Amino acid sequence: MKTSLDDIFINSLPTLDLHGEIRDSARVLVNEFINDNYFLKNERIVIVHGIGTGALKDETYNILRKSKLVKEFHLNHYNAGCTLVYLKKRTD
């Protein structure tokens, strides 16, 4: 698991807030958010899934594990309701 200053300064990173979403809509939103930020050459993003029942976190993690654009991800150490995602570098 990677720990860095990014954990502290996540407010400056592109963020997707999934509060109020259901699994199906969250799946679409997370995939679009990953693709858009990869295209924009952003290497770090934040996904806010909340704590709740854990359903949105589980769905988010399933997507992140399967995505070929995601290098790594981990739960934010200071807020268990969001995940910091590192995207692969876009080369073109």
Side-chain angles (χ1 to χ4, degrees):
M1 188 160 31
K2 189 174 195 170
T3 303
S4 69
L5 288 177
D6 294 336
D7 292 331
I8 299 169
F9 299 108
I10 66 168
N11 290 336
S12 63
L13 299 176
T15 302
L16 173 65
D17 189 343
L18 297 174
H19 281 102
E21 299 296 337
I22 60 172
R23 282 179 174 241
D24 291 338
S25 61
R27 186 177 310 117
V28 172
L29 292 170
V30 170
N31 278 313
E32 287 178 353
F33 189 63
I34 290 169
N35 290 331
D36 290 348
N37 280 282
Y38 179 77
F39 178 76
L40 293 170
K41 297 184 179 181
N42 292 325
E43 294 180 30
R44 294 176 307 263
I45 59 174
V46 176
I47 299 175
V48 179
H49 41 68
I51 299 172
T53 64
L56 287 177
K57 178 186 169 205
D58 292 344
E59 188 63 34
T60 299
Y61 278 38
N62 284 335
I63 295 163
L64 296 175
R65 275 188 216 97
K66 293 176 184 176
S67 176
K68 294 180 182 182
L69 303 179
V70 173
K71 183 170 33 173
E72 65 180 279
F73 61 93
H74 64 83
L75 200 60
N76 182 307
H77 302 291
Y78 304 103
N79 180 352
C82 66
T83 296
L84 183 61
V85 180
Y86 295 85
L87 300 177
K88 292 182 180 176
K89 281 190 177 189
R90 181 174 163 214
T91 55
D92 38 49

